[in-house]
Amino acid sequence: MSAAETIHVDGVWRAAASGAQREVLDPADAKTLAVVSEGGVEDTDAAVAAARRAFDQGPWPRTPVAERAALLRRVAELLQRDRETIALTESRDTGKTLEEGRVDVDDVTNAFRYFADLAAGESAGRVIDAGSPDVHSVVVHEPVGVCAMITPWNYPLLQASWKVAPALVAGNTFVIKPSEVTPLSTVHLVKLLVEAGLPTGVANLVTGAGDPVGARLAEHPDVDLVSFTGGLVSGTKVAQAAAPTVKKVALELGGKNPNVVFADACATPEGFDTAVDQALNAAFIHSGQVCSAGARLIIEESVRERFVAELARRAEKIKLGRGTEDGVECGPLVSAQQLDKTEAYVASALAEGALLRCGGKQPEPSEVRPATGYFYLPTVLDQCHRQMRVVREETFGPILTVESFQTEEEAVTLANDTEYGLAGAVWSADTARARRVAARLRHGTVWINDYHPYLPQAEWGGFGKSGVGRELGPAGLDEYRETKHVYENLRPSPVRWFAG
């Protein structure tokens, strides 16, 4: 396998049919990190055909669940064996810190183990009482078929695992298309699946652009399900392309997430420090390139100035640099395009009346920050309102906007005033109020007095334009299964509806 043979079809690593290649850049210095194959429609069709054969004729869909779960556990062990290598790949490819890369590998490992345990621990089917001892009626699960998986650039390996693990343990075959910006860890994952003993044709990979690869996967008549994680515009196109064939569609499309802080959460020094620390974590981890980022701070007016002043002071101290360097807390943006978008959002916010409290520009170069890297300072914009683009749209950069409220009702109204509905948080020392507000938030995940933890056992999804379908948890497994009702008459007899 040469460096550019990154397309995996029917058990063979190969170059693109066209011979096209793409350079993958290190966002810390804009230098070439790797060269990968640039797949097209011909490669995609070949991958789908391989997955179709493996599902219709191969052993995997008929392999006992216990054996499929055992393979997932082997993959989990291999992930831990290669933990440092994968973490370094993820750090250099996405720009995140090496420690974040390690956490990602551990989370991916946990996802594989969770879905293995979940599927292996299920009963053979749900028995239905048919009202007769002569009838055995049961609802069983079956794999959907050929699954197309389109993953994003911010958490390439983690998002792949949320799709690959449940799809495999359910007995499906698949074609995965990672983001063309960050494909390297997905290539490594497919190698581990092969090493773990996955039958030929079950796992197929096409590296290439969303158009044509992702577009072809979404429309392909031999694909039974398409799972997409990414932006709203692209997700809408995926749904439209999938509609004519009425295939199953799962979309996770991002968010514009409120972090609501009541004054009583800041009544003690410890409470104040924790709320500020978590507001930084919510907004600036992975340079804000997180679908669940708490990019909207909604703070009670009575503590606004004190809170924002301390937030800005600490944001200015965040150590920005190459993610593999010791002591670095925040890496670069993933691409020049993302840097340009971030600069444009800040400029529009200032033109619309926002007050810049910190950041708002690229940092000075240093030993850990090459001048050619896509770095941008953590930015806090105060005095924001809902008419601003930076407040309405998903920025996916190190930008935190600040809005304020005076009453609980106003806080709920502001938090829900978004076309998205992915995640959010409520901070209050009053448990009853915190739970009351959380219950009223129209968001798929709501944290109380915390931000960003997730559990593999809990479903992940959103309301509104944050998408449809669920990942993780039992619902995440069900996304990749169909149900069948098997009605068995143990003592069949003529119906005698008609003469004869």
Side-chain angles (χ1 to χ4, degrees), residues 201-381:
V202 175
N204 302 274
L205 163 69
V206 181
T207 49
D211 187 5
V213 178
R216 180 57 177 158
L217 285 173
E219 71 180 12
H220 203 294
D222 282 340
V223 168
D224 301 297
L225 173 150
V226 58
S227 178
F228 171 87
T229 300
L232 176 59
V233 173
S234 296
T236 302
K237 292 178 180 178
V238 167
Q240 291 170 340
T245 51
V246 201
K247 57 173 60 72
K248 292 186 69 174
V249 177
L251 304 172
E252 198 274 275
L253 304 180
K256 192 65 180 179
N257 312 295
N259 186 22
V260 180
V261 180
F262 285 90
D264 60 13
C266 306
T268 66
E270 181 182 7
F272 178 81
D273 182 66
T274 299
V276 170
D277 180 70
Q278 288 283 7
L280 291 164
N281 169 56
F284 299 129
I285 192 169
H286 193 16
S287 294
Q289 299 171 120
V290 186
C291 61
S292 58
R296 294 177 61 205
L297 174 63
I298 300 175
I299 180 94
E300 192 164 353
E301 182 61 40
S302 62
V303 293
R304 172 181 182 153
E305 178 53 37
R306 174 174 165 241
F307 193 98
V308 175
E310 177 61 13
L311 185 72
R313 186 189 71 81
R314 292 181 57 180
E316 288 181 329
K317 293 182 177 294
I318 292 175
K319 297 175 183 177
L320 201 61
R322 187 188 293 273
T324 55
E325 297 286 345
D326 290 339
V328 165
E329 297 170 315
C330 202
L333 293 166
V334 75
S335 65
Q337 179 185 20
Q338 206 61 24
L339 176 60
D340 290 343
K341 285 178 61 178
T342 299
E343 291 178 327
Y345 273 118
V346 173
S348 71
L350 297 178
E352 292 173 319
L355 177 63
L356 181 66
R357 300 295 293 258
C358 70
K361 61 182 180 180
Q362 291 185 258
E364 293 296 323
S366 71
E367 290 185 0
V368 298
R369 287 194 304 271
T372 51
Y374 309 129
F375 295 97
Y376 198 85
L377 290 171
T379 299
V380 177
L381 297 168

Side-chain angles (χ1 to χ4, degrees), residues 132-492:
S132 169
D134 296 331
V135 173
H136 177 67
S137 180
V138 62
V139 174
V140 297
H141 292 297
E142 293 197 349
V144 171
V146 175
C147 302
M149 304 168 181
I150 305 171
T151 56
W153 48 257
N154 59 336
Y155 286 88
L157 188 65
L158 184 64
Q159 292 293 332
S161 74
W162 290 10
K163 304 177 192 300
V164 169
L168 285 180
V169 82
N172 298 284
T173 62
F174 70 84
V175 180
I176 189 166
K177 190 211 86 68
S179 167
E180 60 270 31
V181 179
T182 57
L184 303 182
S185 60
T186 305
V187 173
H188 196 119
L189 175 62
V190 173
K191 291 179 181 178
L192 296 187
L193 294 174
V194 173
E195 183 179 349
L198 192 66
T200 297
V202 175
N204 302 274
L205 163 69
V206 181
T207 49
D211 187 5
V213 178
R216 180 57 177 158
L217 285 173
E219 71 180 12
H220 203 294
D222 282 340
V223 168
D224 301 297
L225 173 150
V226 58
S227 178
F228 171 87
T229 300
L232 176 59
V233 173
S234 296
T236 302
K237 292 178 180 178
V238 167
Q240 291 170 340
T245 51
V246 201
K247 57 173 60 72
K248 292 186 69 174
V249 177
L251 304 172
E252 198 274 275
L253 304 180
K256 192 65 180 179
N257 312 295
N259 186 22
V260 180
V261 180
F262 285 90
D264 60 13
C266 306
T268 66
E270 181 182 7
F272 178 81
D273 182 66
T274 299
V276 170
D277 180 70
Q278 288 283 7
L280 291 164
N281 169 56
F284 299 129
I285 192 169
H286 193 16
S287 294
Q289 299 171 120
V290 186
C291 61
S292 58
R296 294 177 61 205
L297 174 63
I298 300 175
I299 180 94
E300 192 164 353
E301 182 61 40
S302 62
V303 293
R304 172 181 182 153
E305 178 53 37
R306 174 174 165 241
F307 193 98
V308 175
E310 177 61 13
L311 185 72
R313 186 189 71 81
R314 292 181 57 180
E316 288 181 329
K317 293 182 177 294
I318 292 175
K319 297 175 183 177
L320 201 61
R322 187 188 293 273
T324 55
E325 297 286 345
D326 290 339
V328 165
E329 297 170 315
C330 202
L333 293 166
V334 75
S335 65
Q337 179 185 20
Q338 206 61 24
L339 176 60
D340 290 343
K341 285 178 61 178
T342 299
E343 291 178 327
Y345 273 118
V346 173
S348 71
L350 297 178
E352 292 173 319
L355 177 63
L356 181 66
R357 300 295 293 258
C358 70
K361 61 182 180 180
Q362 291 185 258
E364 293 296 323
S366 71
E367 290 185 0
V368 298
R369 287 194 304 271
T372 51
Y374 309 129
F375 295 97
Y376 198 85
L377 290 171
T379 299
V380 177
L381 297 168
D382 199 0
Q383 298 181 15
C384 294
H385 55 76
R386 288 293 299 136
Q387 286 68 47
M388 293 178 173
R389 280 186 60 225
V390 74
V391 176
R392 296 195 315 271
E393 300 177 10
E394 187 178 34
T395 55
F396 239 61
I399 302 172
L400 178 62
T401 62
V402 182
E403 303 161 78
S404 66
F405 65 90
Q406 294 185 343
T407 67
E408 179 180 316
E409 187 66 27
E410 187 180 2
V412 171
T413 299
L414 282 171
N416 283 335
D417 187 12
T418 173
E419 63 180 2
Y420 294 100
L422 185 64
V426 181
W427 291 82
S428 177
D430 183 337
T431 300
R433 174 162 64 182
R435 292 176 178 173
R436 186 169 63 243
V437 172
R440 295 183 64 191
L441 294 187
R442 296 281 297 168
H443 299 275
T445 295
V446 178
W447 297 287
I448 295 177
N449 295 335
D450 210 332
Y451 208 101
H452 267 152
Y454 76 90
L455 304 174
Q457 302 92 334
E459 286 82 11
W460 178 264
F463 297 173
K465 292 184 178 180
S466 283
V468 295
R470 289 293 184 270
E471 294 185 306
L472 299 177
L477 178 57
D478 286 342
E479 286 287 346
Y480 294 91
R481 303 192 295 196
E482 300 282 13
T483 56
K484 176 190 287 185
H485 178 209
V486 180
Y487 180 102
E488 181 182 4
N489 191 338
L490 303 177
R491 297 182 62 183

